Amino acid sequence: MTVSEFLSETIGISHRWLLKTFRRPAFVFFALFQPIIWFLLFTQSFRAIADIPNFEQVTGTDNYLTFFSGAVVIQTVLTSSMQSGMGFVTDIETGYLDKMQVAPISRASILMGKLLADGVRIVIQTCVILVLAVALGVRFGSGPLGILVLLMLALAFGIAWAGISVFIALTTKDSEATLMIGVITTFPLLFLSTAVMPKELLPDVVQRIAVVNPISYIADALHALIITGLDWGLVARALVVILLVGFVSLGATTLLFRRAVTR
Amino acid sequence: MASGDADPIITVSKLRKVFNPDIVAVDDVSFSVTRGQIFGFLGPNGAGKTTTIRMLATLLQPSGGTMRIDGLDPVTDAAAVRRMIGYGAQDIGVDGDLTARENLRLMATFYHLPKREAIARTEELLTAVDLQQAADRPAMTYSGGMRRRLDLACALVPRPKVLFLDEPTTGLDPQNRTHMWDYVRGLNESGTTIFLTTQYMEEADKLAHQLCIIDMGRIVAEGTPKELKAAIGADVIQLRLPHEGLTEGRVALRAALAAVAGISDMSDYDEGVAVYAKDGPGKVAAIVRALDDAKIGFDGLNLSAPSLDDVFVKHTGRTLRVESVKPTGRTPWGGPRGPKRR
């Protein structure tokens, strides 16, 4: 197994998933319009948040759109990455996973190829949100470099989080279970974090949960990138959290994958 | 134990697979496959055919026994084995969203073919399985026969020394089945050893040079189709009895025929009794007369030279013609568990 073989396998598998994604018009529609829907829902329903007396003081902006841009990015990345495992369930059901496993390719490239394709999808979806935000008048506090950092964070976070979905998929081998567990966990994680409400405005109990919720650290970095500017300290903290999540989710998935292969 | 092969490419010895908790899918199976032959594994659903082929194809770890493919162990030398085998699964692992050309190109990537070779091989295989016309349509628009052909082509991308085909014609109409047989024969004539499983005796009879009959995880008979049929040594008269009172009917029938001269053997099968006699056509009248005298009615009589089904009946007491019910183990999530896709 050479590095170039590993790369060509991974790219080949990624290419397959991207072809599959973009060949399904309904899927493309939902992948692109879902962020838009979230954006509109959040910003319209929670419009009055900006009227809370010290909103500007704790968030750094008096514009609810600006604040919610980060929340919508997180929501979209979570939802999108939580679908990642579905592809594996289909591949198990159709026998395509067997086909790949009979071929002399690395097990890691089967996983990485899928995650890379999901990463590309997530970056595209994030770009849609950012363009929409700008169109609605949001000004990014961190400039072009900050946007780049934001996209990288979304990509890394998405891949790490997708590992969880793949783990669930390989364990349950069931697409409904994979999807439902994804949906059920996404909302509590989102609302028990600093993504949709600044920490200072959260009730005490929720604050305590938010502190140990990995989503909060990603959210803090994204909010800063959009509202105030490039805060390397927050970015570094978010990266550490992503690495931890990724290490656990991808590590467990890789182990499971090996076992699934040699069962 | 196979009949003195000069050059075996696959040898399997005392192979076992036990799924949790204690479902014995493959039980002490031994056989060898001669290089360059078509080797058939014939048995009903759930007999252990797919489990065996998946162990050979490196997809499943055996619980015991040894396997060698061209001297390599699918367990410890999985990577090397994967480079020289092709595998066509029972449930057709082609990607329906991709076109035939894309499916094949991706396979070429999996086998690390250089780009130019990958393109050439893809076109060559599209021609070989008659899919050039449809090459740029997503595979989900294909008929069952076309998908099978694409699957076969995918398995051929690496020019395998050994091709494993798990029930390659299940679900195909007779015309497509005949086509598939022609492809398999052609491949074999060009030097590929083929290991195929089937539940159709006709397929095993027409294609296989060497045959193992497997039932409930065990090999019950092996040899060339001709040898297996010759071993019965008699014509077969199947007497189908009414379903009601089948057990008593069998006893009465056996008693009534005990006095008929020239019957070499009788065996129960799931629909009645199979009677074996050297001169079958000459015995029918005597049999019918004996049954009539004993006032035993029967639903059907079928006289034939021995078929592989008779071989199966002789060894297992059941006919292959009836499909057994598929076992369905479900997980709490409703997904397939353990020995998936039998």
Side-chain angles (χ1 to χ4, degrees), chain B residues 17 23-29 42-49 213-220 312 315-316 318 324 342:
Chain B
K17 179 66 192 181
I23 305 156
V24 183
V26 172
D27 191 5
D28 199 23
V29 161
L42 172 68
N45 275 325
K49 304 188 300 288
I213 298 182
I214 183 169
D215 184 47
M216 298 170 132
R218 287 180 162 273
I219 290 180
V220 294
F312 190 80
H315 289 281
T316 66
R318 285 175 292 121
S324 54
R342 311 282 315 226

Side-chain angles (χ1 to χ4, degrees), chain B residues 258-317:
Chain B
V260 178
I263 291 179
S264 54
D265 197 7
M266 284 187 268
S267 68
D268 292 345
Y269 75 109
D270 40 16
E271 292 181 315
V273 177
V275 177
Y276 303 89
K278 272 255 147 47
D279 170 28
K283 286 288 163 300
V284 171
I287 288 171
V288 172
R289 216 175 301 128
L291 292 178
D292 196 36
D293 289 348
K295 305 228 178 325
I296 296 170
F298 54 95
D299 286 354
L301 182 151
N302 183 51
L303 166 70
S304 61
S307 70
L308 287 175
D309 189 44
D310 299 312
V311 178
F312 190 80
V313 167
K314 176 125 183 158
H315 289 281
T316 66

